[in-house]
Amino acid sequence: MREDLDYLLGLSERDLDLLIAEHLVERDLGSRDDDEEERVFIAGRWFSSLRERLRGAVCGNEAIERALENPGENDQLLVAAIVDALLTVSFKVDVPVTILAVKVAYVGVRKICSGDE
């Protein structure tokens, strides 16, 4: 599978959303060939539905806070801390936790924790 962390961190947020959508829906949505917008919408709606659960899992986590002290310095460290936090609380979702952790890092832990949408 394509969950290699370097690969995931190299994706644009749109491409990451398309990858999330691959895990959420059948490859063929039964519509036009150009259904990328629909897939991005599905991924966005799914991620929004997790906001409260994500807040409970990542907000106030010491390892995540330490990783955020040096933003951009080591994205892998931040994503690893997010993965650990999600696994610690048995955060079960329909996509690999590594993909979700990269999405959280892209959106921003502080934004998620502050409730900004």
Side-chain angles (χ1 to χ4, degrees):
M1 197 75 196
R2 301 179 301 191
E3 284 95 33
D4 176 75
L5 192 51
D6 288 329
Y7 170 79
L8 293 173
L9 288 168
L11 293 176
S12 68
E13 190 169 358
R14 179 183 175 80
D15 287 339
L16 187 64
D17 284 342
L18 291 171
L19 182 58
I20 289 169
E22 275 185 38
H23 289 277
L24 297 176
V25 297
E26 298 290 325
R27 289 211 181 263
D28 179 13
L29 293 175
S31 60
R32 304 176 312 279
D33 285 338
D34 95 17
D35 56 16
E36 275 192 10
E37 293 307 315
E38 185 176 358
R39 290 176 184 272
V40 168
F41 174 78
I42 289 167
R45 186 179 63 205
W46 172 81
F47 186 77
S48 290
S49 75
L50 298 177
R51 292 284 175 120
E52 288 301 316
R53 288 179 58 206
L54 286 170
R55 282 184 192 107
V58 302
C59 300
N61 180 284
E62 289 180 32
I64 293 173
E65 290 299 321
R66 281 193 305 273
L68 288 170
E69 289 174 1
N70 299 308
E73 186 174 290
N74 190 346
D75 291 334
Q76 288 185 346
L77 179 63
L78 175 59
V79 171
I82 295 168
V83 167
D84 286 345
L86 295 175
L87 291 176
T88 298
V89 297
S90 299
F91 202 93
K92 296 195 184 339
V93 289
D94 297 326
V95 301
V97 70
T98 308
I99 294 174
L100 176 57
V102 171
K103 177 67 176 180
V104 169
Y106 276 15
V107 169
V109 173
R110 296 200 196 291
K111 183 176 181 181
I112 290 170
C113 292
S114 71
D116 292 344
E117 299 298 319

